[in-house]
């Protein structure tokens, strides 16, 4: 059965807001699809610093046909009341049938409502969700009435492997498509895609890991490699890892050193500066004390010369803070 895919591409979304936005987006689609009598299967949500993505499986091509019983005048009511009821529904008195209810005997009509095509309904669902999306903090820009956490650049929509083209808001000039962009510093070309799977694979080639769960696994694997190689024990901090997962789209862990003259500072000072101000990982040595090393995550692909420049730059910033 068809899938529905939506990507919101914007300027950087604060890391602390990403997970909540993905949960809220899924809930909005669930409620809207149910309201429009459209069934659905598995829902996948993903997010990064610039993207909010949802993919919904097994959506039918059209709404089901619905037959409903419409109650009319009470049995024994005046003929003009009965005829007025039938005429208002563009039917005849021959279509009437009697039905006993807890309130007495009434005339009824069976009304058949033909389901609409899903591709006609989905744009209205997406427009409504987008225009009424609730962020902890949001902003408006340009002439648009739309509010988003940061300026929204693109909205990509696919249904049944075909792009749905429509305007999100008359003032925003955002027209949906099936073309996105990769890493802002490592890729500049437009990326066309036909489905969710192709979207993920093509973006990976352009240095973007959209899946936040996969990015976390990559970071943890890189931490494990560094700790095994350097014989250090990382001070694992799940909150810090989750925050960093939301900052980078292509994680690259780089190990730096702390100058020995700063190691006499209280552990609380070192840890606070490294975690809260710099988003660095800290390490413990063999004796359990803070080791003179830190790890930072670069949002760039591995490059020996550039990584060394990043390492030196971060050491310089840390030195200035500790001074």
């Amino acid at each position: 059965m068809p899938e529905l895919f939506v990507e919101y591409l914007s300027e950087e979304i604060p890391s602390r807001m990403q997970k909540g936005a993905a949960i809220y987006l899924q809930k909005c689609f669930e409620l809207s699809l149910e309201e429009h009598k459209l069934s659905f299967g598995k829902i996948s949500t993903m997010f990064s610093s610039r993207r909010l993505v949802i993919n919904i499986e097994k959506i039918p091509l059209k709404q089901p046909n619905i037959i409903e019983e419409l109650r009319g005048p009470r049995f024994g009511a005046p003929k003009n009341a009965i005829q007025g009821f039938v005429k208002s529904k563009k039917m005849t008195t021959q279509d009437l049938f009697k039905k006993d209810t807890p309130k007495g005997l009434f005339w009824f009509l069976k009304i058949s409502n033909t389901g609409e095509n899903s591709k006609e309904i989905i744009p209205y669902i997406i427009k409504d969700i987008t225009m009424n999306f609730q962020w902890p903090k949001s902003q408006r820009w340009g002439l648009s009435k739309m509010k988003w956490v940061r300026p929204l650049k693109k909205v990509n929509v696919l249904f049944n492997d075909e792009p749905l083209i429509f305007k999100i808001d008359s003032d925003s000039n955002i027209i949906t498509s099936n073309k996105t962009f990769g890493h802002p510093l490592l890729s500049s070309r437009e990326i066309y895609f036909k489905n969710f799977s192709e979207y993920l694979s093509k973006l990976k080639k352009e240095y973007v890991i959209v899946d936040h769960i996969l990015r976390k696994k990559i970071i943890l694997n890189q931490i494990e490699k560094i700790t095994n190689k350097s014989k250090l024990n990382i001070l694992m901090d799940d909150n810090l890892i989750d925050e960093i997962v939301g900052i980078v789209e292509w994680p690259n862990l780089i190990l730096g050193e702390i100058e020995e003259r700063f190691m006499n500072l209280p552990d609380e000072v070192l840890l606070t500066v490294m975690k809260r101000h710099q988003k660095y990982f800290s390490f413990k040595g063999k004796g359990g004390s803070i080791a003179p090393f830190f790890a930072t995550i670069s949002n760039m692909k591995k490059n020996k010369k550039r990584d060394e420049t990043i390492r030196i730059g971060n050491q310089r910033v840390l030195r200035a803070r500790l001074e």
Side-chain angles (χ1 to χ4, degrees):
M1 290 182 75
E3 292 183 345
L4 170 62
F5 168 86
V6 183
E7 179 204 40
Y8 293 96
L9 179 66
S10 70
E11 294 183 10
E12 281 72 8
I13 306 168
S15 182
R16 68 184 183 278
M17 297 184 188
Q18 294 168 16
K19 184 177 180 180
I23 294 171
Y24 178 70
L25 181 67
Q26 177 171 336
K27 190 66 178 177
C28 287
F29 270 98
E30 288 174 346
L31 293 173
S32 292
L33 291 171
E34 289 171 358
E35 182 183 344
H36 289 85
K37 305 294 189 296
L38 289 173
S39 60
F40 53 89
K42 179 184 175 183
I43 298 180
S44 302
T45 56
M46 297 178 181
F47 51 83
S48 75
S49 57
R50 301 167 63 233
R51 302 165 207 275
L52 188 57
V53 173
I54 187 166
N55 190 71
I56 308 173
E57 301 176 4
K58 297 181 179 179
I59 293 182
L61 290 172
K62 61 175 294 185
Q63 291 174 313
N65 296 331
I66 299 174
I67 298 176
E68 60 176 332
E69 293 183 352
L70 193 64
R71 193 180 75 179
R74 186 181 295 274
F75 182 74
K79 286 186 178 181
N80 59 346
I82 297 171
Q83 288 174 350
F85 168 64
V86 172
K87 188 177 180 181
S88 68
K89 305 304 174 186
K90 298 181 180 180
M91 301 181 80
T92 68
T93 53
Q94 294 179 345
D95 298 312
L96 289 167
F97 65 95
K98 292 179 288 186
K99 187 175 181 179
D100 200 9
T101 74
K103 293 185 177 181
L105 194 62
F106 286 83
W107 289 109
F108 277 81
L109 287 172
K110 280 189 177 181
I111 307 294
S112 178
N113 295 315
T114 304
E116 292 186 64
N117 291 327
S118 297
K119 67 178 182 180
E120 303 297 330
I121 301 169
I122 287 170
Y124 292 101
I125 291 176
I126 294 174
K127 287 179 187 179
D128 180 62
I129 291 174
T130 305
M131 296 301 295
N132 296 289
F133 201 90
Q134 299 297 310
W135 292 94
K137 289 185 178 180
S138 57
Q139 60 178 263
R140 289 172 55 187
W141 61 97
L143 300 175
S144 175
K145 296 178 182 177
M146 181 191 302
K147 291 183 179 180
W148 205 252
V149 62
R150 293 291 186 272
L152 189 60
K153 301 297 186 183
K154 292 186 68 63
V155 180
N156 291 305
V157 181
L158 288 175
F159 179 64
N160 197 24
D161 294 346
E162 294 289 337
L164 293 184
I165 311 298
F166 56 92
K167 203 167 187 178
I168 292 291
D169 170 36
S170 59
D171 298 321
S172 69
N173 294 321
I174 295 178
I175 300 175
T176 60
S177 68
N178 64 325
K179 55 186 179 182
T180 189
F181 291 93
H183 195 287
L185 300 176
L186 301 173
S187 173
S188 58
R189 65 186 184 89
E190 285 187 328
I191 303 164
Y192 290 80
F193 54 94
K194 297 178 182 178
N195 51 52
F196 183 39
S197 176
E198 189 175 277
Y199 166 82
L200 295 177
S201 62
K202 283 192 171 183
L203 274 175
K204 188 175 181 180
K205 292 177 182 178
E206 301 300 323
Y207 307 104
V208 174
I209 304 293
V210 183
D211 187 352
H212 56 285
I213 296 174
L214 179 56
R215 285 201 310 280
K216 185 172 183 176
K217 287 181 180 178
I218 291 171
I219 291 172
L220 291 173
N221 287 338
Q222 291 180 359
I223 288 172
E224 185 178 3
K225 286 180 181 179
I226 280 188
T227 53
N228 290 339
K229 184 178 179 180
S230 60
K231 307 300 180 184
L232 295 170
N233 296 313
I234 192 165
L235 288 170
M236 192 61 72
D237 188 318
D238 291 335
N239 291 332
L240 179 58
I241 290 176
D242 288 339
E243 185 176 2
I244 292 172
V245 165
I247 294 173
V248 297
E249 290 190 320
W250 191 261
N252 174 24
L253 196 71
I254 298 172
L255 188 66
E257 295 184 34
I258 306 171
E259 290 182 20
E260 189 64 35
R261 63 194 176 101
F262 295 122
M263 297 312 297
N264 290 327
L265 288 170
D267 288 354
E268 290 79 3
V269 173
L270 291 170
L271 294 174
T272 298
V273 169
M274 287 192 283
K275 176 184 174 180
R276 294 189 183 178
H277 298 291
Q278 298 302 123
K279 314 303 178 189
Y280 294 162
F281 293 111
S282 305
F283 296 90
K284 279 191 175 183
K286 291 181 180 180
S289 60
I290 300 297
F293 296 94
F294 67 89
T296 184
I297 297 285
S298 164
N299 190 28
M300 300 290 284
K301 65 179 179 179
K302 283 189 176 298
N303 178 289
K304 188 174 181 180
K305 184 177 180 180
R306 181 170 54 219
D307 287 357
E308 179 63 13
T309 302
I310 292 171
R311 183 181 71 83
I312 292 170
N314 278 272
Q315 288 178 170
R316 186 181 297 120
V317 171
L318 182 60
R319 181 193 309 132
R321 285 199 176 275
L322 294 177
E323 283 283 8

